[in-house]
């Protein structure tokens, strides 16, 4: 587009809007779970998927969930630091669409989980996949967005490496 800066006409704003949509969807679904389920309640949806209410005071895969409480603030600080770094990176590279999409997904998810930690002391999880009696750790929309963002970052870097070769 003539006259548009090389980094994109709207800069960081579309990416922040995407992060906000992810954050709102995450918090809305968690509010529904908190309002309709007690801890441990579940609803079977298919033979391999349940909606469940679970609390995770730790990080991914319940890492440090059994710690004495310090992990709440540790992971909150990490999440806030990540959000600041991501916003800085979005400001630096808003025209790199896949990269910025990935960062926006991670930002929306990270902020959603930080808010949980600050409000409840744990992250609300509710998506429970299982097979033959084995359950994958429950997760939520924020975790899904973070995972999608991480996958997109890998794909973006692989594409960048292939262009250099």
């Amino acid at each position: 587009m003539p006259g548009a800066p090389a980094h994109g006409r709207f800069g960081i704003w579309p990416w922040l809007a995407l992060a906000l949509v992810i954050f709102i969807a995450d918090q809305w679904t968690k509010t529904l779970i908190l309002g309709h389920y007690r801890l441990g309640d579940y609803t079977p949806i298919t033979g391999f998927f349940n909606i469940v209410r679970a609390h995770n005071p730790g990080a991914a895969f319940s890492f440090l969930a059994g710690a004495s409480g310090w992990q709440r603030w540790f992971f909150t600080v990490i999440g806030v630091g990540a959000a600041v770094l991501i916003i800085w990176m979005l400001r630096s590279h808003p025209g790199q669409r896949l990269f910025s999409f990935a960062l926006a997904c991670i930002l929306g998810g990270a902020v959603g989980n930080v808010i949980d930690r600050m409000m409840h002391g744990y992250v609300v999880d509710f998506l429970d996949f299982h097979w033959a009696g084995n359950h994958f750790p429950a997760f939520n929309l924020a975790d899904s967005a973070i995972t999608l963002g991480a996958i997109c970052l890998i794909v973006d870097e692989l594409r960048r490496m292939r262009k250099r070769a």
Side-chain angles (χ1 to χ4, degrees):
M1 173 174 249
H7 62 274
R9 181 171 182 205
F10 299 106
I12 192 174
W13 295 109
W15 307 120
L16 292 179
L18 174 59
L20 180 63
V21 167
I22 290 167
F23 168 76
I24 290 169
D26 174 64
Q27 291 298 298
W28 179 70
T29 55
K30 290 172 179 175
T31 298
L32 288 174
I33 294 300
L34 290 171
H36 292 86
Y37 286 77
R38 286 177 287 159
L39 182 61
D41 286 352
Y42 69 96
T43 302
I45 304 298
T46 68
F48 61 89
F49 174 67
N50 301 325
I51 298 293
V52 64
R53 179 172 169 181
H55 298 170
N56 182 1
F61 305 108
S62 297
F63 176 66
L64 293 177
S68 62
W70 61 267
Q71 76 277 20
R72 172 185 185 183
W73 303 111
F74 176 72
F75 291 126
T76 297
V77 168
I78 288 175
V80 170
V84 169
L85 177 63
I86 289 169
I87 291 169
W88 177 79
M89 291 174 76
L90 282 171
R91 289 191 65 196
S92 301
H93 307 283
Q96 295 178 15
R97 290 192 293 185
L98 183 57
F99 181 73
S100 294
F101 173 82
L103 291 178
C105 288
I106 294 169
L107 178 62
V111 172
N113 283 342
V114 163
I115 294 299
D116 275 16
R117 287 186 207 297
M118 291 174 62
M119 288 179 47
H120 310 296
Y122 53 82
V123 172
V124 177
D125 289 327
F126 58 90
L127 301 171
D128 174 37
F129 286 88
H130 56 90
W131 186 259
N134 299 308
H135 288 257
F136 186 79
F139 58 99
N140 57 46
L141 291 184
D143 299 332
S144 300
I146 291 167
T147 301
L148 175 62
I151 291 167
C152 289
L153 281 178
I154 292 167
V155 169
D156 183 62
E157 185 58 25
L158 291 173
R159 288 171 61 193
R160 197 178 333 273
M161 288 173 53
R162 188 172 47 182
K163 283 181 185 176
R164 283 188 214 135

